[in-house]
Amino acid sequence: DAGITQSPRHKVTETGTPVTLRCHQTENHRYMYWYRQDPGHGLRLIHYSYGVKDTDKGEVSDGYSVSRSKTEDFLLTLESATSSQTSVYFCAISPLAGTNTGELFFGEGSRLTVL
Amino acid sequence: GQNIDQPTEMTATEGAIVQINCTYQTSGFNGLFWYQQHAGEAPTFLSYNVLDGLEEKGRFSSFLSRSKGYSYLLLKELQMKDSASYLCAVRLRDYKLSFGAGTTVTVRA
């Protein structure tokens, strides 16, 4: 199994508070992703990173920021949480596509509830 | 934007075969993936197609037609443990992976 851990696994917070989710990998993979999963919508990409300090927006990036200062860590920050950001957040990692399929390996997920 | 469609739910009997279809319209195509996700768990990789045709891996097979923007996942000899959501995902040229909403398969005895 790919070495990928997310923290915290569960969090309950109040509207307007900042929240940071951490994704840590031990695989030295180049690509890292943050997705959110909601009923009826499947997995939607928030942000992704293709290297240290190299990030790009996904389809639902409003209200979220990311940082990647080291290969192994990818942080997702909600500057001011809203109830619409209640969701399950998945981090994923992928090796550089080339001779392999470059599939994504997912973390266990972080369940965030914003009251 | 990306448009990836798959049925919401399917039900089948243990030992039977089920085919989950996926159609897509995307800007740029760089491979199609199928993932399995059990309730409350993370998605896990099942199959990958980048060229047209059928890829077989044990009880699971996946087919791709790029000209038709169409793929299917075939699950044979269904087992109770196959009850899960199956996610179709298209990889774009910038290595973003865009997912469909998923198909929940229920296997009944």
Side-chain angles (χ1 to χ4, degrees), chain A residues 31 33 35 37 40-43 45 48 56-57 59 90 97 101-104 106-108, chain B residues 30 33 35 37 40-45 48 87 91 94-102:
Chain A
Y31 292 87
Y33 306 77
Y35 286 87
Q37 187 171 39
H41 290 280
L43 286 158
L45 181 64
Y48 78 115
D56 201 358
K57 295 179 180 180
E59 58 185 305
F90 284 100
T101 64
E103 74 264 27
L104 266 60
F106 285 85
E108 294 299 310
Chain B
N30 194 18
F33 294 81
Y35 280 81
Q37 186 178 25
E41 298 182 6
T44 55
F45 169 74
Y48 169 73
L87 313 177
R91 184 169 63 193
D94 53 6
Y95 297 109
K96 294 180 185 177
L97 208 63
S98 187
F99 284 81

Side-chain angles (χ1 to χ4, degrees), chain B residues 21-43:
Chain B
N21 295 324
C22 172
T23 59
Y24 62 90
Q25 290 178 308
T26 59
S27 52
F29 176 86
N30 194 18
L32 188 139
F33 294 81
W34 285 94
Y35 280 81
Q36 180 189 59
Q37 186 178 25
H38 286 101
E41 298 182 6

Side-chain angles (χ1 to χ4, degrees), chain A residues 47-69:
Chain A
H47 282 279
Y48 78 115
S49 170
Y50 45 96
V52 173
K53 298 186 179 178
D54 290 324
T55 64
D56 201 358
K57 295 179 180 180
E59 58 185 305
V60 290
S61 59
D62 287 349
Y64 301 94
S65 62
V66 290
S67 66
R68 190 169 179 198
S69 58

Side-chain angles (χ1 to χ4, degrees), chain B residues 2-106:
Chain B
Q2 320 307 325
N3 193 23
I4 301 171
D5 291 318
Q6 50 182 130
T8 304
E9 295 180 337
M10 301 183 75
T11 300
T13 305
E14 196 174 15
I17 298 173
V18 68
Q19 177 175 314
I20 306 169
N21 295 324
C22 172
T23 59
Y24 62 90
Q25 290 178 308
T26 59
S27 52
F29 176 86
N30 194 18
L32 188 139
F33 294 81
W34 285 94
Y35 280 81
Q36 180 189 59
Q37 186 178 25
H38 286 101
E41 298 182 6
T44 55
F45 169 74
L46 280 181
S47 69
Y48 169 73
N49 296 71
V50 67
L51 300 176
D52 291 352
L54 188 68
E55 294 284 341
E56 297 186 85
K57 189 185 293 186
R59 294 188 298 113
F60 293 178
S61 303
S62 58
F63 171 83
L64 174 67
S65 169
R66 289 173 295 170
S67 62
K68 295 182 179 178
Y70 168 71
S71 173
Y72 68 72
L73 179 70
L74 196 68
L75 286 64
K76 294 178 266 190
E77 301 170 18
L78 278 173
Q79 302 176 9
M80 299 300 288
K81 67 178 182 180
D82 297 329
S83 291
S85 285
Y86 292 85
L87 313 177
C88 173
V90 175
R91 184 169 63 193
L92 310 177
R93 296 203 182 280
D94 53 6
Y95 297 109
K96 294 180 185 177
L97 208 63
S98 187
F99 284 81
T103 300
T104 299
V105 172
T106 301

